[in-house]
Coordinates of all heavy atoms in Angstrom, one line a residue:
A1 N -96.3 31.3 -4.6 CA -97.5 31.9 -5.1 C -98.6 32.0 -4.0 O -98.6 31.2 -3.1 CB -98.0 31.0 -6.2
D2 N -99.4 33.0 -4.2 CA -100.5 33.2 -3.2 C -101.5 32.1 -3.4 O -101.7 31.5 -4.5 CB -101.2 34.5 -3.5 CG -100.3 35.7 -3.0 OD1 -99.3 35.4 -2.3 OD2 -100.7 36.8 -3.4
P3 N -102.3 31.8 -2.3 CA -103.4 30.8 -2.4 C -104.5 31.4 -3.4 O -104.7 32.6 -3.5 CB -104.0 30.8 -1.0 CG -102.9 31.3 -0.1 CD -102.1 32.2 -0.9
D4 N -105.1 30.5 -4.1 CA -106.2 30.8 -5.1 C -107.5 31.1 -4.3 O -107.7 30.7 -3.2 CB -106.4 29.7 -6.1 CG -105.2 29.5 -7.0 OD1 -104.5 30.5 -7.2 OD2 -105.0 28.4 -7.5
D5 N -108.4 31.7 -5.0 CA -109.7 32.0 -4.4 C -110.6 30.8 -4.4 O -111.6 30.7 -3.7 CB -110.4 33.2 -5.2 CG -109.7 34.5 -5.0 OD1 -109.0 34.6 -4.0 OD2 -109.9 35.4 -5.9
E6 N -110.3 29.8 -5.2 CA -111.1 28.5 -5.3 C -110.1 27.3 -5.1 O -108.9 27.4 -5.2 CB -111.7 28.4 -6.7 CG -112.7 29.5 -7.0 CD -113.3 29.3 -8.4 OE1 -112.9 28.3 -9.1 OE2 -114.1 30.2 -8.8
L7 N -110.7 26.2 -4.7 CA -110.0 25.0 -4.5 C -109.3 24.6 -5.8 O -109.9 24.6 -6.8 CB -110.9 23.9 -4.0 CG -110.3 22.5 -3.9 CD1 -109.2 22.5 -2.7 CD2 -111.3 21.5 -3.6
S8 N -108.0 24.4 -5.8 CA -107.3 24.1 -7.0 C -106.0 23.3 -6.6 O -105.6 23.3 -5.5 CB -106.9 25.3 -7.8 OG -106.0 26.1 -7.1
G9 N -105.4 22.6 -7.6 CA -104.2 21.9 -7.3 C -103.6 21.3 -8.6 O -104.2 21.4 -9.7
S10 N -102.4 20.8 -8.5 CA -101.8 20.3 -9.7 C -100.7 19.2 -9.3 O -100.2 19.3 -8.1 CB -101.1 21.4 -10.5 OG -100.0 21.9 -9.8
V11 N -100.5 18.3 -10.2 CA -99.5 17.2 -9.9 C -98.7 17.1 -11.2 O -99.3 17.0 -12.3 CB -100.1 15.9 -9.6 CG1 -99.0 14.8 -9.5 CG2 -100.9 16.0 -8.3
Y12 N -97.4 17.0 -11.1 CA -96.5 16.8 -12.2 C -95.6 15.7 -11.9 O -95.0 15.6 -10.8 CB -95.6 18.1 -12.5 CG -94.5 17.9 -13.5 CD1 -94.8 18.0 -14.8 CD2 -93.2 17.6 -13.0 CE1 -93.7 17.8 -15.8 CE2 -92.2 17.4 -13.9 CZ -92.4 17.5 -15.3 OH -91.4 17.3 -16.2
A13 N -95.5 14.7 -12.8 CA -94.6 13.6 -12.5 C -93.8 13.3 -13.8 O -94.4 13.3 -14.9 CB -95.3 12.3 -12.1
D14 N -92.5 13.0 -13.7 CA -91.6 12.7 -14.8 C -90.7 11.6 -14.4 O -90.1 11.6 -13.4 CB -90.9 13.9 -15.2 CG -90.0 13.7 -16.5 OD1 -90.4 12.9 -17.3 OD2 -89.0 14.4 -16.6
Y15 N -90.6 10.6 -15.3 CA -89.6 9.5 -15.1 C -89.1 9.1 -16.4 O -89.8 9.1 -17.4 CB -90.3 8.2 -14.5 CG -89.4 7.1 -14.4 CD1 -88.5 7.0 -13.3 CD2 -89.3 6.1 -15.3 CE1 -87.6 6.0 -13.2 CE2 -88.4 5.0 -15.2 CZ -87.6 5.0 -14.2 OH -86.7 3.9 -14.1
N16 N -87.7 8.9 -16.5 CA -87.1 8.5 -17.8 C -86.2 7.3 -17.6 O -86.0 6.9 -16.4 CB -86.4 9.7 -18.5 CG -85.2 10.2 -17.7 OD1 -84.5 9.4 -17.1 ND2 -85.0 11.5 -17.7
D17 N -85.8 6.8 -18.7 CA -85.0 5.5 -18.6 C -83.6 5.8 -18.1 O -82.8 4.8 -17.8 CB -84.9 4.8 -20.0 CG -84.3 5.7 -21.0 OD1 -84.0 6.9 -20.8 OD2 -84.1 5.2 -22.2
G18 N -83.2 7.0 -17.8 CA -81.9 7.3 -17.1 C -82.1 7.3 -15.6 O -81.2 7.8 -14.9
D19 N -83.1 6.6 -15.1 CA -83.4 6.6 -13.7 C -83.5 7.9 -13.0 O -82.9 8.2 -12.0 CB -82.4 5.7 -12.9 CG -82.6 4.2 -13.2 OD1 -83.7 3.8 -13.6 OD2 -81.6 3.5 -13.1
Q20 N -84.2 8.8 -13.7 CA -84.5 10.2 -13.1 C -86.0 10.3 -12.8 O -86.8 10.1 -13.7 CB -84.0 11.2 -14.1 CG -84.2 12.6 -13.6 CD -83.7 13.6 -14.6 OE1 -83.2 13.3 -15.7 NE2 -83.9 14.9 -14.3
T21 N -86.3 10.7 -11.6 CA -87.7 10.9 -11.2 C -87.8 12.3 -10.7 O -87.0 12.8 -9.9 CB -88.0 9.9 -10.1 OG1 -87.8 8.5 -10.5 CG2 -89.5 10.0 -9.7
D22 N -88.9 12.9 -11.1 CA -89.2 14.3 -10.7 C -90.7 14.4 -10.4 O -91.5 14.1 -11.3 CB -88.8 15.2 -11.8 CG -88.9 16.7 -11.4 OD1 -89.1 17.0 -10.2 OD2 -88.8 17.6 -12.3
I23 N -91.1 14.7 -9.2 CA -92.5 14.8 -8.8 C -92.8 16.1 -8.1 O -92.1 16.4 -7.2 CB -93.0 13.6 -7.9 CG1 -92.7 12.3 -8.6 CG2 -94.4 13.8 -7.5 CD1 -92.9 11.1 -7.7
R24 N -93.8 16.9 -8.6 CA -94.1 18.1 -7.9 C -95.6 18.2 -7.8 O -96.4 17.7 -8.6 CB -93.7 19.3 -8.8 CG -92.2 19.5 -8.9 CD -91.9 20.6 -9.8 NE -91.3 20.0 -11.0 CZ -91.1 20.7 -12.1 NH1 -91.5 21.9 -12.3 NH2 -90.5 20.0 -13.1
A25 N -96.1 18.7 -6.7 CA -97.5 18.9 -6.4 C -97.8 20.1 -5.6 O -97.0 20.6 -4.9 CB -98.0 17.6 -5.6
S26 N -99.0 20.7 -5.9 CA -99.5 21.8 -5.1 C -101.0 21.7 -4.9 O -101.7 21.1 -5.7 CB -99.1 23.2 -5.8 OG -100.0 23.3 -6.9
L27 N -101.4 22.3 -3.8 CA -102.8 22.3 -3.4 C -103.1 23.7 -2.8 O -102.4 24.1 -1.9 CB -103.1 21.2 -2.4 CG -104.6 21.1 -1.9 CD1 -105.5 20.8 -3.0 CD2 -104.7 20.1 -0.8
S28 N -104.2 24.3 -3.3 CA -104.6 25.6 -2.8 C -106.0 25.5 -2.2 O -106.9 25.0 -2.8 CB -104.6 26.7 -3.9 OG -104.9 27.9 -3.4
L29 N -106.1 25.9 -0.9 CA -107.4 25.8 -0.2 C -107.8 27.2 0.4 O -107.1 27.8 1.2 CB -107.2 24.9 1.0 CG -106.8 23.4 0.8 CD1 -106.3 22.8 2.1 CD2 -108.0 22.7 0.3
P30 N -109.0 27.7 -0.1 CA -109.5 28.8 0.5 C -110.3 28.4 1.8 O -111.2 27.6 1.7 CB -110.5 29.4 -0.5 CG -110.9 28.2 -1.4 CD -109.7 27.2 -1.3
L31 N -109.8 28.9 3.0 CA -110.5 28.5 4.2 C -111.7 29.3 4.5 O -112.7 28.8 5.0 CB -109.5 28.5 5.4 CG -108.2 27.6 5.2 CD1 -107.3 27.8 6.3 CD2 -108.6 26.2 5.0
T32 N -111.6 30.6 4.3 CA -112.7 31.6 4.4 C -112.6 32.5 3.2 O -111.7 32.4 2.3 CB -112.6 32.4 5.7 OG1 -111.5 33.2 5.7 CG2 -112.6 31.4 6.9
E33 N -113.4 33.5 3.1 CA -113.3 34.5 2.1 C -112.1 35.4 2.2 O -111.6 36.0 1.2 CB -114.5 35.4 2.0 CG -115.8 34.7 1.5 CD -116.9 35.7 1.3 OE1 -116.7 36.9 1.3 OE2 -118.1 35.2 1.2
T34 N -111.5 35.4 3.4 CA -110.3 36.3 3.6 C -109.0 35.5 3.9 O -107.9 36.1 4.0 CB -110.5 37.3 4.7 OG1 -110.8 36.6 5.9 CG2 -111.7 38.2 4.4
L35 N -109.1 34.2 4.1 CA -108.0 33.4 4.5 C -107.8 32.2 3.6 O -108.8 31.5 3.3 CB -108.2 32.9 6.0 CG -107.1 32.0 6.6 CD1 -105.8 32.8 6.8 CD2 -107.5 31.4 7.9
G36 N -106.6 32.0 3.1 CA -106.3 30.9 2.2 C -104.9 30.3 2.5 O -104.1 30.9 3.1
V37 N -104.8 29.0 2.1 CA -103.5 28.2 2.3 C -103.1 27.6 1.0 O -103.9 27.1 0.2 CB -103.8 27.1 3.4 CG1 -102.6 26.2 3.5 CG2 -104.2 27.7 4.7
R38 N -101.8 27.6 0.8 CA -101.2 26.8 -0.4 C -100.1 25.9 0.1 O -99.2 26.3 0.8 CB -100.7 27.8 -1.4 CG -100.1 27.0 -2.6 CD -99.5 27.9 -3.7 NE -100.5 28.6 -4.4 CZ -101.1 28.1 -5.5 NH1 -100.7 26.9 -6.0 NH2 -102.0 28.8 -6.2
L39 N -100.2 24.6 -0.3 CA -99.2 23.6 0.1 C -98.5 23.2 -1.2 O -99.1 23.0 -2.2 CB -99.8 22.4 0.7 CG -100.6 22.6 2.0 CD1 -101.5 21.4 2.2 CD2 -99.7 22.8 3.1
N40 N -97.2 23.1 -1.2 CA -96.3 22.7 -2.3 C -95.4 21.6 -1.8 O -94.8 21.7 -0.7 CB -95.5 23.9 -2.9 CG -96.4 25.0 -3.3 OD1 -97.2 24.8 -4.3 ND2 -96.3 26.2 -2.7
G41 N -95.2 20.7 -2.7 CA -94.2 19.6 -2.4 C -93.4 19.2 -3.6 O -93.8 19.4 -4.7
Y42 N -92.2 18.7 -3.4 CA -91.2 18.4 -4.5 C -90.4 17.2 -4.1 O -89.9 17.2 -2.9 CB -90.4 19.7 -4.8 CG -89.4 19.5 -5.9 CD1 -89.9 19.4 -7.2 CD2 -88.0 19.4 -5.7 CE1 -89.0 19.2 -8.2 CE2 -87.1 19.3 -6.7 CZ -87.6 19.2 -8.0 OH -86.8 19.0 -9.0
F43 N -90.2 16.3 -5.0 CA -89.3 15.2 -4.8 C -88.5 14.9 -6.1 O -89.1 15.0 -7.1 CB -90.1 13.9 -4.4 CG -89.3 12.7 -4.5 CD1 -88.4 12.4 -3.4 CD2 -89.3 11.8 -5.6 CE1 -87.6 11.2 -3.5 CE2 -88.6 10.7 -5.6 CZ -87.7 10.4 -4.6
F44 N -87.2 14.7 -6.0 CA -86.4 14.3 -7.1 C -85.4 13.3 -6.7 O -84.9 13.2 -5.6 CB -85.8 15.5 -7.8 CG -84.6 16.1 -7.1 CD1 -83.3 15.7 -7.4 CD2 -84.8 17.0 -6.1 CE1 -82.2 16.2 -6.7 CE2 -83.7 17.6 -5.4 CZ -82.4 17.2 -5.7
D45 N -85.1 12.4 -7.7 CA -84.1 11.3 -7.5 C -83.4 11.1 -8.9 O -84.1 10.8 -9.8 CB -84.7 10.1 -7.0 CG -83.7 9.0 -6.6 OD1 -82.5 9.3 -6.6 OD2 -84.1 7.9 -6.4
E46 N -82.2 11.3 -8.9 CA -81.4 11.2 -10.2 C -80.2 10.3 -10.0 O -79.4 10.6 -9.1 CB -81.0 12.6 -10.7 CG -80.4 12.6 -12.0 CD -80.0 14.0 -12.4 OE1 -80.9 14.8 -12.5 OE2 -78.8 14.2 -12.8
R47 N -80.1 9.3 -10.7 CA -78.9 8.4 -10.6 C -77.6 9.0 -11.0 O -76.6 8.8 -10.4 CB -79.2 7.2 -11.5 CG -78.0 6.2 -11.6 CD -78.2 5.1 -12.6 NE -78.2 5.6 -14.0 CZ -78.5 5.0 -15.0 NH1 -78.8 3.7 -14.9 NH2 -78.4 5.5 -16.2
G48 N -77.7 9.9 -12.0 CA -76.4 10.5 -12.5 C -76.2 10.0 -13.9 O -76.7 9.0 -14.3
F49 N -75.6 10.9 -14.7 CA -75.4 10.5 -16.1 C -74.0 9.9 -16.5 O -73.9 9.4 -17.5 CB -75.6 11.8 -17.0 CG -77.0 12.3 -16.9 CD1 -77.3 13.5 -16.2 CD2 -78.0 11.7 -17.6 CE1 -78.6 13.9 -16.2 CE2 -79.3 12.1 -17.6 CZ -79.6 13.3 -16.8
Y50 N -73.1 10.1 -15.6 CA -71.8 9.6 -15.8 C -71.4 8.4 -14.9 O -71.7 8.4 -13.8 CB -70.8 10.8 -15.6 CG -71.1 12.0 -16.4 CD1 -71.7 13.1 -15.8 CD2 -70.8 12.0 -17.7 CE1 -72.1 14.2 -16.5 CE2 -71.2 13.1 -18.5 CZ -71.8 14.2 -17.9 OH -72.1 15.3 -18.6
K51 N -70.7 7.5 -15.5 CA -70.3 6.3 -14.8 C -68.8 6.3 -14.5 O -68.0 6.5 -15.5 CB -70.7 5.0 -15.6 CG -70.6 3.7 -14.8 CD -71.3 2.6 -15.5 CE -71.3 1.4 -14.7 NZ -72.0 0.3 -15.4
N52 N -68.4 6.1 -13.3 CA -67.0 6.0 -12.9 C -66.5 4.7 -13.4 O -67.0 3.6 -13.0 CB -66.9 6.1 -11.4 CG -65.5 6.1 -10.9 OD1 -64.7 5.4 -11.4 ND2 -65.2 7.0 -9.9
T53 N -65.5 4.7 -14.3 CA -65.0 3.5 -14.9 C -64.3 2.6 -13.9 O -64.1 1.4 -14.1 CB -64.1 3.8 -16.1 OG1 -63.0 4.7 -15.7 CG2 -64.9 4.5 -17.2
T54 N -63.7 3.2 -12.9 CA -63.0 2.4 -11.9 C -64.0 1.7 -10.9 O -63.9 0.5 -10.7 CB -62.1 3.3 -11.0 OG1 -61.2 4.0 -11.9 CG2 -61.3 2.5 -10.1
S55 N -64.9 2.4 -10.3 CA -65.8 1.8 -9.3 C -67.1 1.3 -9.9 O -67.8 0.4 -9.3 CB -66.2 2.9 -8.3 OG -67.0 3.9 -8.8
G56 N -67.5 1.8 -11.1 CA -68.7 1.3 -11.7 C -70.0 2.1 -11.2 O -71.1 1.8 -11.7
N57 N -69.7 3.0 -10.3 CA -70.8 3.8 -9.7 C -71.1 5.0 -10.6 O -70.3 5.5 -11.2 CB -70.5 4.3 -8.3 CG -70.3 3.2 -7.3 OD1 -71.0 2.1 -7.5 ND2 -69.5 3.3 -6.3
Y58 N -72.4 5.4 -10.6 CA -72.8 6.6 -11.3 C -72.5 7.8 -10.5 O -72.6 7.8 -9.2 CB -74.3 6.6 -11.7 CG -74.6 5.6 -12.8 CD1 -74.9 4.3 -12.6 CD2 -74.5 6.1 -14.1 CE1 -75.1 3.4 -13.6 CE2 -74.8 5.3 -15.2 CZ -75.1 3.9 -14.9 OH -75.3 3.1 -16.0
V59 N -72.1 8.9 -11.1 CA -71.7 10.2 -10.4 C -72.5 11.3 -11.0 O -73.0 11.2 -12.1 CB -70.2 10.5 -10.5 CG1 -69.4 9.4 -9.8 CG2 -69.8 10.6 -11.9
G60 N -72.7 12.4 -10.2 CA -73.4 13.5 -10.7 C -74.9 13.6 -10.4 O -75.6 14.5 -10.8
G61 N -75.4 12.6 -9.7 CA -76.8 12.5 -9.4 C -77.1 13.0 -8.0 O -76.2 13.6 -7.3
G62 N -78.3 12.8 -7.5 CA -78.6 13.2 -6.2 C -80.1 13.0 -6.0 O -80.8 12.6 -6.9
D63 N -80.5 13.3 -4.8 CA -82.0 13.2 -4.5 C -82.3 14.3 -3.5 O -81.5 14.9 -2.8 CB -82.4 11.8 -4.0 CG -81.6 11.4 -2.7 OD1 -80.8 12.2 -2.2 OD2 -81.8 10.3 -2.2
G64 N -83.6 14.6 -3.4 CA -84.0 15.7 -2.5 C -85.5 15.7 -2.3 O -86.3 15.1 -3.1
L65 N -85.9 16.3 -1.3 CA -87.4 16.4 -0.9 C -87.6 17.8 -0.3 O -86.7 18.2 0.5 CB -87.7 15.3 0.1 CG -89.0 15.2 0.7 CD1 -90.0 14.8 -0.4 CD2 -89.1 14.2 1.8
G66 N -88.6 18.4 -0.6 CA -88.9 19.7 -0.1 C -90.4 20.1 -0.1 O -91.2 19.4 -0.7
G67 N -90.7 21.2 0.6 CA -92.1 21.6 0.6 C -92.2 23.0 1.1 O -91.2 23.6 1.7
S68 N -93.3 23.6 0.9 CA -93.6 24.9 1.5 C -95.1 25.1 1.8 O -95.9 24.4 1.3 CB -93.2 26.0 0.5 OG -94.0 26.0 -0.7
L69 N -95.3 26.0 2.7 CA -96.7 26.3 3.1 C -96.8 27.8 3.1 O -96.0 28.5 3.7 CB -96.9 25.8 4.6 CG -98.2 26.3 5.2 CD1 -99.4 25.7 4.6 CD2 -98.2 25.9 6.7
V70 N -97.9 28.3 2.5 CA -98.2 29.7 2.4 C -99.5 29.9 3.0 O -100.5 29.3 2.6 CB -98.1 30.3 1.0 CG1 -98.5 31.7 0.9 CG2 -96.8 30.1 0.3
V71 N -99.6 30.8 4.0 CA -100.9 31.2 4.6 C -101.1 32.7 4.3 O -100.2 33.5 4.7 CB -100.9 30.9 6.1 CG1 -102.2 31.4 6.7 CG2 -100.6 29.5 6.4
K72 N -102.2 33.1 3.8 CA -102.4 34.5 3.5 C -103.8 34.9 4.0 O -104.8 34.3 3.7 CB -102.4 34.8 2.0 CG -102.5 36.3 1.6 CD -102.3 36.5 0.2 CE -102.5 38.0 -0.1 NZ -102.4 38.3 -1.6
W73 N -103.8 36.0 4.7 CA -105.0 36.6 5.3 C -105.2 38.0 4.7 O -104.2 38.8 4.8 CB -105.0 36.7 6.8 CG -106.2 37.3 7.4 CD1 -107.5 37.0 7.2 CD2 -106.2 38.5 8.2 NE1 -108.3 37.8 7.9 CE2 -107.6 38.8 8.5 CE3 -105.2 39.3 8.7 CZ2 -107.9 39.8 9.3 CZ3 -105.6 40.4 9.5 CH2 -106.9 40.6 9.8
Q74 N -106.2 38.3 4.0 CA -106.5 39.6 3.3 C -107.9 40.0 3.7 O -108.8 39.7 3.0 CB -106.3 39.5 1.8 CG -106.3 40.8 1.1 CD -105.8 40.7 -0.3 OE1 -105.5 39.6 -0.8 NE2 -105.8 41.9 -1.0
P75 N -108.0 40.8 4.8 CA -109.3 41.3 5.2 C -110.0 42.3 4.2 O -111.2 42.4 4.2 CB -109.1 41.9 6.6 CG -107.6 42.3 6.5 CD -106.9 41.3 5.6
N76 N -109.2 43.0 3.5 CA -109.7 43.9 2.5 C -108.7 44.1 1.3 O -107.6 43.5 1.4 CB -110.1 45.3 3.1 CG -108.9 45.9 3.8 OD1 -107.8 46.0 3.3 ND2 -109.2 46.3 5.1
E77 N -109.0 44.9 0.4 CA -108.1 45.1 -0.8 C -106.8 45.8 -0.4 O -105.8 45.7 -1.1 CB -108.9 45.9 -1.9 CG -110.0 45.2 -2.5 CD -109.5 44.0 -3.3 OE1 -108.4 44.1 -4.0 OE2 -110.1 42.9 -3.2
R78 N -106.8 46.6 0.7 CA -105.7 47.4 1.0 C -104.6 46.7 1.9 O -103.4 47.0 1.8 CB -106.2 48.6 1.7 CG -105.1 49.7 1.9 CD -105.7 51.0 2.4 NE -104.6 51.9 2.4 CZ -104.7 53.2 2.7 NH1 -105.9 53.7 2.8 NH2 -103.7 54.0 2.7
Y79 N -105.1 45.8 2.7 CA -104.2 45.1 3.7 C -104.2 43.6 3.5 O -105.2 43.0 3.2 CB -104.6 45.4 5.1 CG -104.6 46.9 5.5 CD1 -105.7 47.6 5.5 CD2 -103.4 47.5 5.7 CE1 -105.7 49.0 5.8 CE2 -103.3 48.9 5.9 CZ -104.5 49.6 6.0 OH -104.5 50.9 6.3
S80 N -103.0 43.0 3.7 CA -102.9 41.5 3.7 C -101.7 41.2 4.6 O -100.7 41.9 4.8 CB -102.7 41.0 2.3 OG -101.5 41.4 1.7
V81 N -101.7 39.9 5.1 CA -100.6 39.4 5.9 C -100.3 38.0 5.3 O -101.3 37.2 5.1 CB -101.0 39.2 7.4 CG1 -99.9 38.6 8.2 CG2 -101.3 40.6 8.0
K82 N -99.1 37.7 5.0 CA -98.7 36.4 4.4 C -97.5 35.8 5.1 O -96.5 36.5 5.4 CB -98.3 36.6 2.9 CG -98.0 35.4 2.2 CD -98.1 35.5 0.7 CE -97.0 36.3 0.1 NZ -96.9 36.2 -1.4
F83 N -97.7 34.6 5.5 CA -96.6 33.8 6.1 C -96.2 32.7 5.2 O -96.9 32.1 4.6 CB -97.1 33.2 7.5 CG -97.5 34.2 8.5 CD1 -98.8 34.5 8.7 CD2 -96.5 34.8 9.3 CE1 -99.2 35.5 9.6 CE2 -96.9 35.7 10.2 CZ -98.2 36.1 10.4

């Protein structure tokens, strides 16, 4: 998503008794009237729903971490540059 015209952000967190965690966050910063930045982050950790009867370990789960950065410069209504 493009950066917002005003300072904004959000955080989402979810945890359940199946040992599943999901966290997402974003922050949008207008640096000037024509330049803005948006940061996004994501983390998940899931034990898995199925248990291997031989080893006793849970299978099918995983974990991950990610993020993104968007920089947008829009000097007028007709032109913009986004990275």
Side-chain angles (χ1 to χ4, degrees):
D2 288 347
D4 294 332
D5 294 336
E6 297 179 2
L7 176 66
S8 64
S10 66
V11 175
Y12 169 83
D14 182 31
Y15 176 80
N16 66 35
D17 61 356
D19 286 337
Q20 181 178 0
T21 303
D22 187 12
I23 301 171
R24 291 177 250 167
S26 72
L27 177 65
S28 184
L29 297 165
L31 301 177
T32 67
E33 288 188 17
T34 61
L35 181 66
V37 174
R38 178 181 288 273
L39 300 164
N40 299 298
Y42 182 70
F43 167 79
F44 72 94
D45 187 11
E46 183 180 308
R47 173 185 69 186
F49 294 106
Y50 305 102
K51 192 171 188 176
N52 183 318
T53 56
T54 304
S55 69
N57 295 330
Y58 284 90
V59 296
D63 59 1
L65 178 68
S68 67
L69 169 69
V70 176
V71 178
K72 184 176 180 183
W73 177 59
Q74 187 168 2
N76 56 49
E77 291 296 319
R78 189 169 184 173
Y79 300 105
S80 67
V81 178
K82 184 164 64 169
F83 297 97

